[in-house]
Amino acid sequence: MRTIPKVFALFICLCVSFAFADTHSLLILHTNDIHGHVKADPLGQGGLPYVSAFVKEMRAQRGDLLLLDGGDVMRKGDLIAEKTEHRILYEAMKKIGYTAGAMGNHDNFHGYDHLRECSEIAGMPILCLNSLDDTGSPRFAPSTIVECNGLKVALIGLTTLAGGAFKSIDKCGEQLRLEAERLENQIDLTVAVVHIGRKECILLSEKAPTIDVFVSGHTHEALHEAALVPETGALIVQAGQYAQYVGVLDLTVDPAQKKAITAESRLVSMDPETVTPDQEMIAWLDAEEERIFPGAGEIVGETGQVIQIPDLVRIASAALQWKAGADIAFCHTFVMRSNQREGAITANSIFQSAGQRGDQVVLTELSGEQIRVYLNCLSNARQGKTAWYGFSGKMEKADEAGKWNLVSDLEMAKNYQVAIPLYQWENLMGECAEPDSPLATLPKTPPIADYSVADAMTDYLREVKKSGGSVEALLATLN
């Protein structure tokens, strides 16, 4: 492939070797890192009903359309996604009509057999050149050739280098080059559909220069203009995250030269000001949600402002202490994935914040001394901040060297019943549980509650609401 000399804003003009080439148009629409966000967020942005409506509109206008996904369909999103092990997303993708997708690093969370099932549900191939089984055979098809508007387009899939069989750019690039060269005589254009970020795509392009387009993912980057690799002429596109955008790459392809001679790219925001969502899909999703998890849309609180993660973990620690009937509860900031938006707080929106990393809760016993050592370790190792509920205390500088120490009303020799997210507990068993530490004796397999952090928060806020309290008033009491 073949060099693009200049980029003019959203319009990329490529050299044309003759004036009246037999050219064909090709419209590539693309998403990536949907991460379980089936429905729109509390502000009405993103979600597959918008994607469905936009794709329908474009298909009504164009008969030359491919719809591709750069991977990570699963995890981090809505309750209905989690409750269906993400099958609901692939059912929606089937309705929308995806052509093919890459395998994201989160997409094998339920195992490779499950991902194959999801591929069948979606009616689209999951492509992956660099995921091999124990025999060295590809777990999924490395590539496929699709026909569109008189063009034969090769689609080659890749997952992250860390999650694939070829750990280096050089090795992965070599395998990509070989696969592209194998297909070269059969096709008019080559597109790599990859769960790999822009910077690594640039390096892969240099190793596999016959790739024309990289539909990328993993880094959640919103590329409002296609990135150009000057050395090869390859274009790299990526559409942010959570179905908040659909990427549009409009190409004119010359089959004789096996290259695109013009390209125009943009991102289209999936929001009510830009797209009217697909009401049929909304109705279907609502019915499925009511059938599978009827409480997902329950409003358990209202907020007049965005609740940031530091405040969410304070609510979570109070909720866990209440739910567990424990003396003390903790919740670290890294348990939360997102803020709560202004407006209604629902069971689903709480799950979006705390549902993945807070999916399991440990119920255990810690002494005051063990708690002190743990909190000192967190601060001195700069491992972030945890909220707690059930005792009074603060971290203070202990000496001129800048070491931190907990000053609290805890009794060092007393044992306390404690609730703590498993994701956070595992940190206790790591750097903070050195051989000579009071934490070294903690059990590696502690008892697990039958509820999650999100469950505790939902139940707790529901009780606050029933008693006439507000989220803002609650936060004031937790200061």
Side-chain angles (χ1 to χ4, degrees), residues 37-40 47-50 52 78 80-81 87-89 91-93 95-96 278-293 296:
H37 286 68
V38 190
K39 305 178 76 174
L48 295 182
Y50 284 107
S52 178
D78 295 316
I80 189 174
R87 292 179 180 88
I88 191 77
L89 285 109
E91 291 181 52
M93 293 173 87
K95 293 175 181 291
I96 296 169
D278 185 338
Q279 296 301 318
E280 183 177 341
M281 179 164 282
I282 288 174
W284 170 68
L285 287 171
D286 285 345
E288 288 297 282
E289 186 176 75
E290 181 64 24
R291 179 178 69 84
I292 296 164
F293 196 87

PDB file of all heavy atoms in Angstrom, residues 37-40 47-50 52 78 80-81 87-89 91-93 95-96 278-293 296:
ATOM      1  N   HIS A  37     -22.339  -1.559  27.563  1.00  0.00           N
ATOM      2  CA  HIS A  37     -23.258  -0.419  27.620  1.00  0.00           C
ATOM      3  C   HIS A  37     -24.342  -0.592  26.563  1.00  0.00           C
ATOM      4  O   HIS A  37     -24.311   0.006  25.489  1.00  0.00           O
ATOM      5  CB  HIS A  37     -22.493   0.891  27.430  1.00  0.00           C
ATOM      6  CG  HIS A  37     -21.700   1.280  28.642  1.00  0.00           C
ATOM      7  ND1 HIS A  37     -20.601   0.564  29.064  1.00  0.00           N
ATOM      8  CD2 HIS A  37     -21.857   2.289  29.538  1.00  0.00           C
ATOM      9  CE1 HIS A  37     -20.105   1.124  30.155  1.00  0.00           C
ATOM     10  NE2 HIS A  37     -20.852   2.164  30.469  1.00  0.00           N
ATOM     11  N   VAL A  38     -25.307  -1.432  26.899  1.00  0.00           N
ATOM     12  CA  VAL A  38     -26.405  -1.698  25.982  1.00  0.00           C
ATOM     13  C   VAL A  38     -27.273  -0.457  25.813  1.00  0.00           C
ATOM     14  O   VAL A  38     -27.664  -0.089  24.709  1.00  0.00           O
ATOM     15  CB  VAL A  38     -27.272  -2.859  26.497  1.00  0.00           C
ATOM     16  CG1 VAL A  38     -28.262  -3.302  25.433  1.00  0.00           C
ATOM     17  CG2 VAL A  38     -26.411  -4.021  26.950  1.00  0.00           C
ATOM     18  N   LYS A  39     -27.565   0.170  26.958  1.00  0.00           N
ATOM     19  CA  LYS A  39     -28.500   1.292  26.970  1.00  0.00           C
ATOM     20  C   LYS A  39     -27.748   2.611  27.121  1.00  0.00           C
ATOM     21  O   LYS A  39     -26.567   2.645  27.465  1.00  0.00           O
ATOM     22  CB  LYS A  39     -29.495   1.110  28.115  1.00  0.00           C
ATOM     23  CG  LYS A  39     -30.234  -0.238  28.066  1.00  0.00           C
ATOM     24  CD  LYS A  39     -31.175  -0.400  29.232  1.00  0.00           C
ATOM     25  CE  LYS A  39     -32.435   0.429  29.016  1.00  0.00           C
ATOM     26  NZ  LYS A  39     -33.441   0.170  30.071  1.00  0.00           N
ATOM     27  N   ALA A  40     -28.456   3.696  26.886  1.00  0.00           N
ATOM     28  CA  ALA A  40     -27.866   5.025  27.047  1.00  0.00           C
ATOM     29  C   ALA A  40     -27.524   5.283  28.509  1.00  0.00           C
ATOM     30  O   ALA A  40     -28.134   4.718  29.419  1.00  0.00           O
ATOM     31  CB  ALA A  40     -28.834   6.092  26.545  1.00  0.00           C
ATOM     32  N   GLY A  47     -25.020   3.842  23.809  1.00  0.00           N
ATOM     33  CA  GLY A  47     -25.917   2.702  23.839  1.00  0.00           C
ATOM     34  C   GLY A  47     -26.309   2.244  22.445  1.00  0.00           C
ATOM     35  O   GLY A  47     -26.254   2.996  21.467  1.00  0.00           O
ATOM     36  N   LEU A  48     -26.729   0.987  22.361  1.00  0.00           N
ATOM     37  CA  LEU A  48     -26.965   0.372  21.057  1.00  0.00           C
ATOM     38  C   LEU A  48     -28.237   0.829  20.347  1.00  0.00           C
ATOM     39  O   LEU A  48     -28.303   0.744  19.120  1.00  0.00           O
ATOM     40  CB  LEU A  48     -26.940  -1.146  21.217  1.00  0.00           C
ATOM     41  CG  LEU A  48     -25.561  -1.688  21.629  1.00  0.00           C
ATOM     42  CD1 LEU A  48     -25.586  -3.205  21.734  1.00  0.00           C
ATOM     43  CD2 LEU A  48     -24.468  -1.243  20.667  1.00  0.00           C
ATOM     44  N   PRO A  49     -29.274   1.341  21.025  1.00  0.00           N
ATOM     45  CA  PRO A  49     -30.398   1.896  20.264  1.00  0.00           C
ATOM     46  C   PRO A  49     -30.001   3.061  19.362  1.00  0.00           C
ATOM     47  O   PRO A  49     -30.539   3.210  18.253  1.00  0.00           O
ATOM     48  CB  PRO A  49     -31.372   2.343  21.357  1.00  0.00           C
ATOM     49  CG  PRO A  49     -31.111   1.399  22.483  1.00  0.00           C
ATOM     50  CD  PRO A  49     -29.619   1.211  22.458  1.00  0.00           C
ATOM     51  N   TYR A  50     -29.063   3.894  19.802  1.00  0.00           N
ATOM     52  CA  TYR A  50     -28.562   4.964  18.940  1.00  0.00           C
ATOM     53  C   TYR A  50     -27.776   4.396  17.772  1.00  0.00           C
ATOM     54  O   TYR A  50     -27.931   4.825  16.615  1.00  0.00           O
ATOM     55  CB  TYR A  50     -27.666   5.921  19.737  1.00  0.00           C
ATOM     56  CG  TYR A  50     -28.402   6.863  20.641  1.00  0.00           C
ATOM     57  CD1 TYR A  50     -28.380   6.685  22.021  1.00  0.00           C
ATOM     58  CD2 TYR A  50     -29.124   7.945  20.132  1.00  0.00           C
ATOM     59  CE1 TYR A  50     -29.054   7.554  22.871  1.00  0.00           C
ATOM     60  CE2 TYR A  50     -29.803   8.814  20.966  1.00  0.00           C
ATOM     61  CZ  TYR A  50     -29.767   8.620  22.333  1.00  0.00           C
ATOM     62  OH  TYR A  50     -30.435   9.476  23.183  1.00  0.00           O
ATOM     63  N   SER A  52     -28.049   1.476  16.443  1.00  0.00           N
ATOM     64  CA  SER A  52     -28.994   0.830  15.532  1.00  0.00           C
ATOM     65  C   SER A  52     -29.673   1.846  14.616  1.00  0.00           C
ATOM     66  O   SER A  52     -29.760   1.641  13.396  1.00  0.00           O
ATOM     67  CB  SER A  52     -30.046   0.070  16.337  1.00  0.00           C
ATOM     68  OG  SER A  52     -31.004  -0.531  15.489  1.00  0.00           O
ATOM     69  N   ASP A  78     -23.971  -2.458  31.723  1.00  0.00           N
ATOM     70  CA  ASP A  78     -25.290  -2.519  32.332  1.00  0.00           C
ATOM     71  C   ASP A  78     -25.543  -3.849  33.039  1.00  0.00           C
ATOM     72  O   ASP A  78     -24.942  -4.885  32.722  1.00  0.00           O
ATOM     73  CB  ASP A  78     -26.364  -2.333  31.258  1.00  0.00           C
ATOM     74  CG  ASP A  78     -26.319  -0.951  30.643  1.00  0.00           C
ATOM     75  OD1 ASP A  78     -26.179   0.014  31.401  1.00  0.00           O
ATOM     76  OD2 ASP A  78     -26.418  -0.843  29.409  1.00  0.00           O
ATOM     77  N   ILE A  80     -28.172  -5.721  32.751  1.00  0.00           N
ATOM     78  CA  ILE A  80     -28.723  -6.727  31.849  1.00  0.00           C
ATOM     79  C   ILE A  80     -27.616  -7.412  31.060  1.00  0.00           C
ATOM     80  O   ILE A  80     -27.709  -8.590  30.727  1.00  0.00           O
ATOM     81  CB  ILE A  80     -29.783  -6.111  30.909  1.00  0.00           C
ATOM     82  CG1 ILE A  80     -30.500  -7.219  30.140  1.00  0.00           C
ATOM     83  CG2 ILE A  80     -29.158  -5.092  29.965  1.00  0.00           C
ATOM     84  CD1 ILE A  80     -31.647  -6.717  29.297  1.00  0.00           C
ATOM     85  N   ALA A  81     -26.528  -6.680  30.794  1.00  0.00           N
ATOM     86  CA  ALA A  81     -25.388  -7.295  30.121  1.00  0.00           C
ATOM     87  C   ALA A  81     -24.762  -8.356  31.022  1.00  0.00           C
ATOM     88  O   ALA A  81     -24.484  -9.480  30.598  1.00  0.00           O
ATOM     89  CB  ALA A  81     -24.359  -6.231  29.749  1.00  0.00           C
ATOM     90  N   ARG A  87     -24.696 -11.888  26.443  1.00  0.00           N
ATOM     91  CA  ARG A  87     -25.349 -12.373  25.232  1.00  0.00           C
ATOM     92  C   ARG A  87     -26.283 -11.324  24.642  1.00  0.00           C
ATOM     93  O   ARG A  87     -26.462 -11.248  23.429  1.00  0.00           O
ATOM     94  CB  ARG A  87     -26.116 -13.662  25.526  1.00  0.00           C
ATOM     95  CG  ARG A  87     -25.232 -14.852  25.853  1.00  0.00           C
ATOM     96  CD  ARG A  87     -26.079 -16.077  26.161  1.00  0.00           C
ATOM     97  NE  ARG A  87     -25.267 -17.250  26.491  1.00  0.00           N
ATOM     98  CZ  ARG A  87     -24.832 -17.558  27.708  1.00  0.00           C
ATOM     99  NH1 ARG A  87     -25.153 -16.757  28.744  1.00  0.00           N
ATOM    100  NH2 ARG A  87     -24.101 -18.632  27.918  1.00  0.00           N
ATOM    101  N   ILE A  88     -26.893 -10.503  25.535  1.00  0.00           N
ATOM    102  CA  ILE A  88     -27.842  -9.494  25.062  1.00  0.00           C
ATOM    103  C   ILE A  88     -27.189  -8.515  24.094  1.00  0.00           C
ATOM    104  O   ILE A  88     -27.812  -8.063  23.132  1.00  0.00           O
ATOM    105  CB  ILE A  88     -28.472  -8.740  26.266  1.00  0.00           C
ATOM    106  CG1 ILE A  88     -29.655  -7.877  25.833  1.00  0.00           C
ATOM    107  CG2 ILE A  88     -27.436  -7.874  26.985  1.00  0.00           C
ATOM    108  CD1 ILE A  88     -30.897  -8.654  25.572  1.00  0.00           C
ATOM    109  N   LEU A  89     -25.906  -8.219  24.308  1.00  0.00           N
ATOM    110  CA  LEU A  89     -25.212  -7.312  23.396  1.00  0.00           C
ATOM    111  C   LEU A  89     -25.072  -7.925  22.014  1.00  0.00           C
ATOM    112  O   LEU A  89     -25.252  -7.242  20.991  1.00  0.00           O
ATOM    113  CB  LEU A  89     -23.836  -6.945  23.946  1.00  0.00           C
ATOM    114  CG  LEU A  89     -23.870  -5.954  25.100  1.00  0.00           C
ATOM    115  CD1 LEU A  89     -23.497  -6.635  26.389  1.00  0.00           C
ATOM    116  CD2 LEU A  89     -22.980  -4.775  24.840  1.00  0.00           C
ATOM    117  N   GLU A  91     -26.965 -10.256  20.748  1.00  0.00           N
ATOM    118  CA  GLU A  91     -28.290 -10.284  20.126  1.00  0.00           C
ATOM    119  C   GLU A  91     -28.591  -8.934  19.477  1.00  0.00           C
ATOM    120  O   GLU A  91     -29.123  -8.873  18.360  1.00  0.00           O
ATOM    121  CB  GLU A  91     -29.347 -10.615  21.174  1.00  0.00           C
ATOM    122  CG  GLU A  91     -29.291 -12.032  21.701  1.00  0.00           C
ATOM    123  CD  GLU A  91     -30.393 -12.296  22.716  1.00  0.00           C
ATOM    124  OE1 GLU A  91     -31.573 -12.028  22.403  1.00  0.00           O
ATOM    125  OE2 GLU A  91     -30.075 -12.748  23.831  1.00  0.00           O
ATOM    126  N   ALA A  92     -28.255  -7.853  20.188  1.00  0.00           N
ATOM    127  CA  ALA A  92     -28.472  -6.517  19.635  1.00  0.00           C
ATOM    128  C   ALA A  92     -27.597  -6.285  18.407  1.00  0.00           C
ATOM    129  O   ALA A  92     -28.041  -5.686  17.420  1.00  0.00           O
ATOM    130  CB  ALA A  92     -28.197  -5.457  20.700  1.00  0.00           C
ATOM    131  N   MET A  93     -26.363  -6.755  18.454  1.00  0.00           N
ATOM    132  CA  MET A  93     -25.458  -6.589  17.312  1.00  0.00           C
ATOM    133  C   MET A  93     -25.966  -7.352  16.090  1.00  0.00           C
ATOM    134  O   MET A  93     -25.783  -6.921  14.950  1.00  0.00           O
ATOM    135  CB  MET A  93     -24.046  -7.029  17.691  1.00  0.00           C
ATOM    136  CG  MET A  93     -23.408  -6.120  18.746  1.00  0.00           C
ATOM    137  SD  MET A  93     -21.827  -6.715  19.370  1.00  0.00           S
ATOM    138  CE  MET A  93     -20.702  -6.023  18.156  1.00  0.00           C
ATOM    139  N   LYS A  95     -29.174  -7.780  15.465  1.00  0.00           N
ATOM    140  CA  LYS A  95     -30.253  -6.944  14.946  1.00  0.00           C
ATOM    141  C   LYS A  95     -29.702  -5.757  14.151  1.00  0.00           C
ATOM    142  O   LYS A  95     -30.287  -5.338  13.149  1.00  0.00           O
ATOM    143  CB  LYS A  95     -31.127  -6.434  16.101  1.00  0.00           C
ATOM    144  CG  LYS A  95     -31.931  -7.518  16.825  1.00  0.00           C
ATOM    145  CD  LYS A  95     -32.668  -6.931  18.021  1.00  0.00           C
ATOM    146  CE  LYS A  95     -33.450  -7.993  18.784  1.00  0.00           C
ATOM    147  NZ  LYS A  95     -34.608  -8.516  18.011  1.00  0.00           N
ATOM    148  N   ILE A  96     -28.592  -5.221  14.608  1.00  0.00           N
ATOM    149  CA  ILE A  96     -27.994  -4.062  13.932  1.00  0.00           C
ATOM    150  C   ILE A  96     -27.324  -4.480  12.632  1.00  0.00           C
ATOM    151  O   ILE A  96     -27.337  -3.733  11.650  1.00  0.00           O
ATOM    152  CB  ILE A  96     -26.984  -3.363  14.868  1.00  0.00           C
ATOM    153  CG1 ILE A  96     -27.720  -2.793  16.088  1.00  0.00           C
ATOM    154  CG2 ILE A  96     -26.243  -2.236  14.153  1.00  0.00           C
ATOM    155  CD1 ILE A  96     -26.798  -2.305  17.197  1.00  0.00           C
ATOM    156  N   ASP A 278     -33.425   4.123  18.100  1.00  0.00           N
ATOM    157  CA  ASP A 278     -34.293   3.093  17.546  1.00  0.00           C
ATOM    158  C   ASP A 278     -35.309   2.673  18.608  1.00  0.00           C
ATOM    159  O   ASP A 278     -34.976   1.968  19.554  1.00  0.00           O
ATOM    160  CB  ASP A 278     -33.435   1.906  17.100  1.00  0.00           C
ATOM    161  CG  ASP A 278     -34.234   0.814  16.404  1.00  0.00           C
ATOM    162  OD1 ASP A 278     -35.457   0.739  16.617  1.00  0.00           O
ATOM    163  OD2 ASP A 278     -33.620   0.016  15.669  1.00  0.00           O
ATOM    164  N   GLN A 279     -36.545   3.105  18.451  1.00  0.00           N
ATOM    165  CA  GLN A 279     -37.575   2.835  19.454  1.00  0.00           C
ATOM    166  C   GLN A 279     -37.913   1.351  19.553  1.00  0.00           C
ATOM    167  O   GLN A 279     -38.244   0.853  20.631  1.00  0.00           O
ATOM    168  CB  GLN A 279     -38.833   3.647  19.137  1.00  0.00           C
ATOM    169  CG  GLN A 279     -38.630   5.154  19.220  1.00  0.00           C
ATOM    170  CD  GLN A 279     -38.167   5.603  20.606  1.00  0.00           C
ATOM    171  OE1 GLN A 279     -38.672   5.125  21.625  1.00  0.00           O
ATOM    172  NE2 GLN A 279     -37.211   6.510  20.645  1.00  0.00           N
ATOM    173  N   GLU A 280     -37.812   0.660  18.454  1.00  0.00           N
ATOM    174  CA  GLU A 280     -38.078  -0.781  18.468  1.00  0.00           C
ATOM    175  C   GLU A 280     -37.032  -1.509  19.322  1.00  0.00           C
ATOM    176  O   GLU A 280     -37.377  -2.396  20.107  1.00  0.00           O
ATOM    177  CB  GLU A 280     -38.058  -1.318  17.034  1.00  0.00           C
ATOM    178  CG  GLU A 280     -38.404  -2.789  16.924  1.00  0.00           C
ATOM    179  CD  GLU A 280     -38.443  -3.272  15.486  1.00  0.00           C
ATOM    180  OE1 GLU A 280     -38.564  -2.436  14.568  1.00  0.00           O
ATOM    181  OE2 GLU A 280     -38.343  -4.500  15.280  1.00  0.00           O
ATOM    182  N   MET A 281     -35.766  -1.083  19.203  1.00  0.00           N
ATOM    183  CA  MET A 281     -34.729  -1.709  20.021  1.00  0.00           C
ATOM    184  C   MET A 281     -34.879  -1.326  21.482  1.00  0.00           C
ATOM    185  O   MET A 281     -34.667  -2.156  22.381  1.00  0.00           O
ATOM    186  CB  MET A 281     -33.331  -1.343  19.513  1.00  0.00           C
ATOM    187  CG  MET A 281     -32.223  -1.963  20.356  1.00  0.00           C
ATOM    188  SD  MET A 281     -30.596  -1.964  19.589  1.00  0.00           S
ATOM    189  CE  MET A 281     -30.781  -3.354  18.456  1.00  0.00           C
ATOM    190  N   ILE A 282     -35.256  -0.086  21.758  1.00  0.00           N
ATOM    191  CA  ILE A 282     -35.487   0.331  23.137  1.00  0.00           C
ATOM    192  C   ILE A 282     -36.584  -0.525  23.774  1.00  0.00           C
ATOM    193  O   ILE A 282     -36.447  -1.003  24.905  1.00  0.00           O
ATOM    194  CB  ILE A 282     -35.857   1.826  23.204  1.00  0.00           C
ATOM    195  CG1 ILE A 282     -34.625   2.687  22.899  1.00  0.00           C
ATOM    196  CG2 ILE A 282     -36.420   2.186  24.581  1.00  0.00           C
ATOM    197  CD1 ILE A 282     -34.929   4.166  22.811  1.00  0.00           C
ATOM    198  N   ALA A 283     -37.670  -0.736  23.043  1.00  0.00           N
ATOM    199  CA  ALA A 283     -38.784  -1.531  23.562  1.00  0.00           C
ATOM    200  C   ALA A 283     -38.339  -2.966  23.823  1.00  0.00           C
ATOM    201  O   ALA A 283     -38.701  -3.569  24.851  1.00  0.00           O
ATOM    202  CB  ALA A 283     -39.948  -1.506  22.586  1.00  0.00           C
ATOM    203  N   TRP A 284     -37.555  -3.509  22.912  1.00  0.00           N
ATOM    204  CA  TRP A 284     -37.043  -4.877  23.083  1.00  0.00           C
ATOM    205  C   TRP A 284     -36.128  -4.969  24.302  1.00  0.00           C
ATOM    206  O   TRP A 284     -36.262  -5.889  25.120  1.00  0.00           O
ATOM    207  CB  TRP A 284     -36.310  -5.310  21.817  1.00  0.00           C
ATOM    208  CG  TRP A 284     -35.559  -6.598  21.974  1.00  0.00           C
ATOM    209  CD1 TRP A 284     -36.080  -7.847  22.141  1.00  0.00           C
ATOM    210  CD2 TRP A 284     -34.125  -6.747  22.004  1.00  0.00           C
ATOM    211  NE1 TRP A 284     -35.061  -8.774  22.259  1.00  0.00           N
ATOM    212  CE2 TRP A 284     -33.860  -8.133  22.177  1.00  0.00           C
ATOM    213  CE3 TRP A 284     -33.064  -5.863  21.879  1.00  0.00           C
ATOM    214  CZ2 TRP A 284     -32.555  -8.628  22.236  1.00  0.00           C
ATOM    215  CZ3 TRP A 284     -31.776  -6.356  21.934  1.00  0.00           C
ATOM    216  CH2 TRP A 284     -31.527  -7.725  22.116  1.00  0.00           C
ATOM    217  N   LEU A 285     -35.226  -4.017  24.456  1.00  0.00           N
ATOM    218  CA  LEU A 285     -34.313  -4.027  25.595  1.00  0.00           C
ATOM    219  C   LEU A 285     -35.060  -3.849  26.915  1.00  0.00           C
ATOM    220  O   LEU A 285     -34.753  -4.511  27.909  1.00  0.00           O
ATOM    221  CB  LEU A 285     -33.256  -2.933  25.440  1.00  0.00           C
ATOM    222  CG  LEU A 285     -32.170  -3.182  24.399  1.00  0.00           C
ATOM    223  CD1 LEU A 285     -31.320  -1.927  24.207  1.00  0.00           C
ATOM    224  CD2 LEU A 285     -31.299  -4.358  24.793  1.00  0.00           C
ATOM    225  N   ASP A 286     -36.048  -2.949  26.917  1.00  0.00           N
ATOM    226  CA  ASP A 286     -36.841  -2.749  28.132  1.00  0.00           C
ATOM    227  C   ASP A 286     -37.582  -4.023  28.522  1.00  0.00           C
ATOM    228  O   ASP A 286     -37.653  -4.379  29.706  1.00  0.00           O
ATOM    229  CB  ASP A 286     -37.847  -1.607  27.931  1.00  0.00           C
ATOM    230  CG  ASP A 286     -37.183  -0.239  27.964  1.00  0.00           C
ATOM    231  OD1 ASP A 286     -36.019  -0.140  28.408  1.00  0.00           O
ATOM    232  OD2 ASP A 286     -37.834   0.742  27.538  1.00  0.00           O
ATOM    233  N   ALA A 287     -38.130  -4.708  27.522  1.00  0.00           N
ATOM    234  CA  ALA A 287     -38.853  -5.950  27.797  1.00  0.00           C
ATOM    235  C   ALA A 287     -37.905  -7.027  28.313  1.00  0.00           C
ATOM    236  O   ALA A 287     -38.235  -7.763  29.260  1.00  0.00           O
ATOM    237  CB  ALA A 287     -39.561  -6.428  26.528  1.00  0.00           C
ATOM    238  N   GLU A 288     -36.719  -7.120  27.734  1.00  0.00           N
ATOM    239  CA  GLU A 288     -35.734  -8.097  28.186  1.00  0.00           C
ATOM    240  C   GLU A 288     -35.244  -7.771  29.594  1.00  0.00           C
ATOM    241  O   GLU A 288     -35.066  -8.666  30.426  1.00  0.00           O
ATOM    242  CB  GLU A 288     -34.555  -8.154  27.205  1.00  0.00           C
ATOM    243  CG  GLU A 288     -34.870  -8.819  25.880  1.00  0.00           C
ATOM    244  CD  GLU A 288     -35.249 -10.276  26.077  1.00  0.00           C
ATOM    245  OE1 GLU A 288     -34.351 -11.113  26.285  1.00  0.00           O
ATOM    246  OE2 GLU A 288     -36.468 -10.574  26.036  1.00  0.00           O
ATOM    247  N   GLU A 289     -35.036  -6.496  29.855  1.00  0.00           N
ATOM    248  CA  GLU A 289     -34.601  -6.086  31.189  1.00  0.00           C
ATOM    249  C   GLU A 289     -35.659  -6.414  32.229  1.00  0.00           C
ATOM    250  O   GLU A 289     -35.340  -6.913  33.321  1.00  0.00           O
ATOM    251  CB  GLU A 289     -34.284  -4.594  31.191  1.00  0.00           C
ATOM    252  CG  GLU A 289     -33.692  -4.097  32.498  1.00  0.00           C
ATOM    253  CD  GLU A 289     -33.299  -2.636  32.426  1.00  0.00           C
ATOM    254  OE1 GLU A 289     -34.213  -1.772  32.467  1.00  0.00           O
ATOM    255  OE2 GLU A 289     -32.092  -2.353  32.307  1.00  0.00           O
ATOM    256  N   GLU A 290     -36.916  -6.155  31.910  1.00  0.00           N
ATOM    257  CA  GLU A 290     -38.010  -6.451  32.831  1.00  0.00           C
ATOM    258  C   GLU A 290     -38.113  -7.962  33.078  1.00  0.00           C
ATOM    259  O   GLU A 290     -38.383  -8.411  34.194  1.00  0.00           O
ATOM    260  CB  GLU A 290     -39.331  -5.918  32.276  1.00  0.00           C
ATOM    261  CG  GLU A 290     -40.545  -6.138  33.168  1.00  0.00           C
ATOM    262  CD  GLU A 290     -40.451  -5.395  34.493  1.00  0.00           C
ATOM    263  OE1 GLU A 290     -39.726  -4.382  34.575  1.00  0.00           O
ATOM    264  OE2 GLU A 290     -41.103  -5.840  35.462  1.00  0.00           O
ATOM    265  N   ARG A 291     -37.850  -8.734  32.041  1.00  0.00           N
ATOM    266  CA  ARG A 291     -37.922 -10.192  32.168  1.00  0.00           C
ATOM    267  C   ARG A 291     -36.746 -10.751  32.966  1.00  0.00           C
ATOM    268  O   ARG A 291     -36.913 -11.630  33.807  1.00  0.00           O
ATOM    269  CB  ARG A 291     -37.941 -10.827  30.765  1.00  0.00           C
ATOM    270  CG  ARG A 291     -37.998 -12.342  30.762  1.00  0.00           C
ATOM    271  CD  ARG A 291     -38.057 -12.881  29.338  1.00  0.00           C
ATOM    272  NE  ARG A 291     -36.815 -12.670  28.619  1.00  0.00           N
ATOM    273  CZ  ARG A 291     -35.750 -13.480  28.681  1.00  0.00           C
ATOM    274  NH1 ARG A 291     -35.791 -14.557  29.466  1.00  0.00           N
ATOM    275  NH2 ARG A 291     -34.671 -13.233  27.972  1.00  0.00           N
ATOM    276  N   ILE A 292     -35.552 -10.220  32.726  1.00  0.00           N
ATOM    277  CA  ILE A 292     -34.333 -10.797  33.294  1.00  0.00           C
ATOM    278  C   ILE A 292     -33.979 -10.186  34.641  1.00  0.00           C
ATOM    279  O   ILE A 292     -33.582 -10.878  35.578  1.00  0.00           O
ATOM    280  CB  ILE A 292     -33.167 -10.613  32.300  1.00  0.00           C
ATOM    281  CG1 ILE A 292     -33.453 -11.415  31.020  1.00  0.00           C
ATOM    282  CG2 ILE A 292     -31.832 -11.040  32.913  1.00  0.00           C
ATOM    283  CD1 ILE A 292     -32.581 -11.020  29.851  1.00  0.00           C
ATOM    284  N   PHE A 293     -34.117  -8.875  34.766  1.00  0.00           N
ATOM    285  CA  PHE A 293     -33.772  -8.194  36.018  1.00  0.00           C
ATOM    286  C   PHE A 293     -34.693  -6.988  36.181  1.00  0.00           C
ATOM    287  O   PHE A 293     -34.329  -5.865  35.851  1.00  0.00           O
ATOM    288  CB  PHE A 293     -32.308  -7.749  36.019  1.00  0.00           C
ATOM    289  CG  PHE A 293     -31.805  -7.397  37.396  1.00  0.00           C
ATOM    290  CD1 PHE A 293     -31.272  -8.372  38.231  1.00  0.00           C
ATOM    291  CD2 PHE A 293     -31.892  -6.100  37.876  1.00  0.00           C
ATOM    292  CE1 PHE A 293     -30.832  -8.054  39.510  1.00  0.00           C
ATOM    293  CE2 PHE A 293     -31.453  -5.771  39.151  1.00  0.00           C
ATOM    294  CZ  PHE A 293     -30.917  -6.752  39.967  1.00  0.00           C
ATOM    295  N   ALA A 296     -33.707  -3.317  37.624  1.00  0.00           N
ATOM    296  CA  ALA A 296     -32.555  -2.564  37.128  1.00  0.00           C
ATOM    297  C   ALA A 296     -32.825  -1.064  37.006  1.00  0.00           C
ATOM    298  O   ALA A 296     -31.955  -0.233  37.273  1.00  0.00           O
ATOM    299  CB  ALA A 296     -32.104  -3.112  35.779  1.00  0.00           C
TER     300      ALA A 296
END
